[in-house]
Amino acid sequence: MTRHTFFLLAGVLSLSCLIGCGGGASGPSGVGASKSVRLNAGGSTFVNPMMTKWAKTYNEKFGVKVDYSATGSGNGIQQMIAKTIDFGCTDAPLNEEQLAKAKENGGAVLHVPLVMGGLVPAYNLPDVQEPIKFTGPVLADIYLGKIKKWNDPALQSLNPGVKLPDLDIAVVNRSDSSGSTFIWTDYLSKVSPEFAQTVGRGTSVKWPTGIGQKGTEGVAGHVGRSPGALGYVELLYALNQNLKYGSVKNKDGEYVLASLESVTEAAKNAMAEIPDDFRYSLTDVAGKTSYPISGTVWAVLYADQSANPKGRDIVDFLRWVLHDGQELTKELHYARMPPELVQRIDKSLAEVKQK
């Protein structure tokens, strides 16, 4: 064998190994092995536009189909625990009761942070052009039914020079079990002791006032067609439907609008507090430019996938989302996961038991 032939053969063998052995950081780990696979997932409406983009791109690249149903975070958790879907997506980490139920049904649950975003106070005031300023306590009092008018002194004092109308605030909330509701109530519970005591945090709460709408689309749609309405929606939905939304005073006393940058800043400032099980909160995080109502979307799945013939495909897809998939987040106004957090999540994914 000539020296030239030897190196040529070595190069071909190395390339074959990389292709056949899944040497990349993301994507299916075997050639052609996943071509007929269809993953079923569901839950969070927050992540639905992003998941739709990820699923389409992943299918085009690898031939693996990901069917996602935006049924709400609560439903996604329920279906994951019941094993009627391959993985769920939620904007709220599982609570202790849900973890215990999952342990009985299938073992430990892994939380995989996928993407971050901001929840905004969206409103419909056609004659007000300037972004309205809110504080957490004022938002809490609105959702407690204590502030009923847009020109209430508590709101007007935050917005000097802005002529707020003598109009009822039509409060809109989620009627279904929702991770967005968890983020919203988690924030309001942190900044308002009264809200924490009377309403509390959760994916589904008993609202003292307001109109319930199903899904983020329902809330955004109602706000868009109802003058005087105020509701909480993800930034992307507000932008897509041309809804006005306000800035919120953060822990450092700064009024901040939701953006990729301000949500990412919140994540960076929370990094040291993120535990090994990845159940954390991004609301009311310190930092001059941190947006205070930021949240994460998690994929949740059983850590033991050894009895699931699609277990490896689930892990491959989630690993791809955490790497190549993050390049698609900016165009849809989601904030990508910080690289230092991705490294930690990779180690956790590597411990998933696969068939």
Side-chain angles (χ1 to χ4, degrees):
M1 181 182 295
T2 67
R3 184 181 180 89
H4 174 75
T5 304
F6 173 81
F7 282 114
L8 180 61
L9 179 59
V12 171
L13 288 174
S14 297
L15 180 60
S16 298
C17 182
L18 282 172
I19 297 173
C21 301
S26 60
S29 53
V31 175
S34 301
K35 290 296 184 181
S36 60
V37 170
R38 182 187 295 270
L39 301 179
N40 295 304
S44 166
T45 60
F46 188 127
V47 80
N48 187 43
M50 189 73 257
M51 187 61 71
T52 299
K53 180 68 173 179
W54 281 335
K56 181 176 184 295
T57 305
Y58 197 71
N59 179 245
E60 291 172 350
K61 287 180 175 291
F62 304 110
V64 177
K65 295 183 178 180
V66 181
D67 291 335
Y68 187 80
S69 298
T71 54
S73 294
N75 184 264
I77 290 172
Q78 290 176 4
Q79 289 197 68
M80 185 283 299
I81 292 175
K83 298 183 179 180
T84 54
I85 55 178
D86 295 307
F87 65 90
C89 284
T90 174
D91 318 337
L94 274 68
N95 58 36
E96 296 302 323
E97 181 181 351
Q98 291 167 330
L99 288 173
K101 187 175 181 180
K103 188 174 183 179
E104 291 179 359
N105 198 51
V109 171
L110 178 64
H111 287 73
V112 182
L114 300 179
V115 75
M116 304 173 299
L119 209 60
V120 302
Y123 57 86
N124 186 338
L125 294 176
D127 296 329
V128 177
Q129 301 307 315
E130 306 90 335
I132 294 177
K133 294 179 179 179
F134 296 95
T135 65
V138 164
L139 285 170
D141 282 349
I142 291 173
Y143 272 80
L144 286 170
K146 296 174 66 177
I147 295 177
K148 302 178 183 294
K149 292 277 190 177
W150 279 105
N151 64 346
D152 185 284
L155 261 173
Q156 190 64 73
S157 66
L158 302 178
N159 296 274
V162 178
K163 186 175 175 56
L164 295 174
D166 181 14
L167 182 67
D168 288 341
I169 301 175
V171 176
V172 189
N173 52 54
R174 288 282 290 272
S175 61
D176 53 330
S177 183
S178 159
S180 298
T181 296
F182 177 83
I183 296 170
W184 190 252
T185 58
D186 181 52
Y187 172 66
L188 296 184
S189 293
K190 288 180 179 179
V191 298
S192 168
E194 183 180 357
F195 188 92
Q197 292 173 5
T198 59
V199 180
R201 57 175 59 82
T203 56
S204 182
V205 298
K206 187 175 181 180
W207 295 106
T209 189
I211 302 167
Q213 293 291 330
K214 186 175 181 180
T216 301
E217 297 90 342
V219 174
H222 190 90
V223 171
R225 63 178 176 268
S226 307
L230 170 73
Y232 53 93
V233 300
E234 289 75 25
L235 174 61
L236 175 64
Y237 287 86
L239 293 173
N240 283 349
Q241 299 199 27
N242 295 315
L243 298 179
K244 296 175 182 177
Y245 58 94
S247 61
V248 183
K249 191 176 184 178
N250 67 15
K251 201 167 191 175
D252 284 27
E254 300 291 335
Y255 287 95
V256 180
L257 283 167
S259 67
L260 298 180
E261 295 75 19
S262 60
V263 171
T264 300
E265 193 65 22
K268 288 179 180 178
N269 290 325
M271 194 62 57
E273 306 297 326
I274 294 178
D276 290 338
D277 66 1
F278 303 120
R279 292 192 299 156
Y280 60 87
S281 169
L282 289 183
T283 61
D284 201 33
V285 172
K288 189 173 182 179
T289 58
S290 295
Y291 182 65
I293 321 180
S294 298
T296 297
V297 179
W298 291 265
V300 288
L301 66 153
Y302 285 110
D304 186 354
Q305 295 286 331
S306 58
N308 185 355
K310 294 187 285 185
R312 185 176 300 276
D313 299 287
I314 297 170
V315 172
D316 284 342
F317 173 68
L318 295 178
R319 186 177 290 116
W320 177 86
V321 164
L322 287 168
H323 291 272
D324 296 8
Q326 296 296 302
E327 301 299 325
L328 305 175
T329 58
K330 186 175 182 179
E331 63 183 279
L332 291 181
H333 303 283
Y334 291 88
R336 62 187 300 154
M337 301 307 301
E340 56 269 41
L341 184 57
V342 171
Q343 291 178 5
R344 292 174 58 188
I345 302 168
D346 275 338
K347 292 178 181 178
S348 185
L349 275 175
E351 296 175 359
V352 174
K353 294 181 181 179
Q354 303 172 28
K355 190 170 183 179

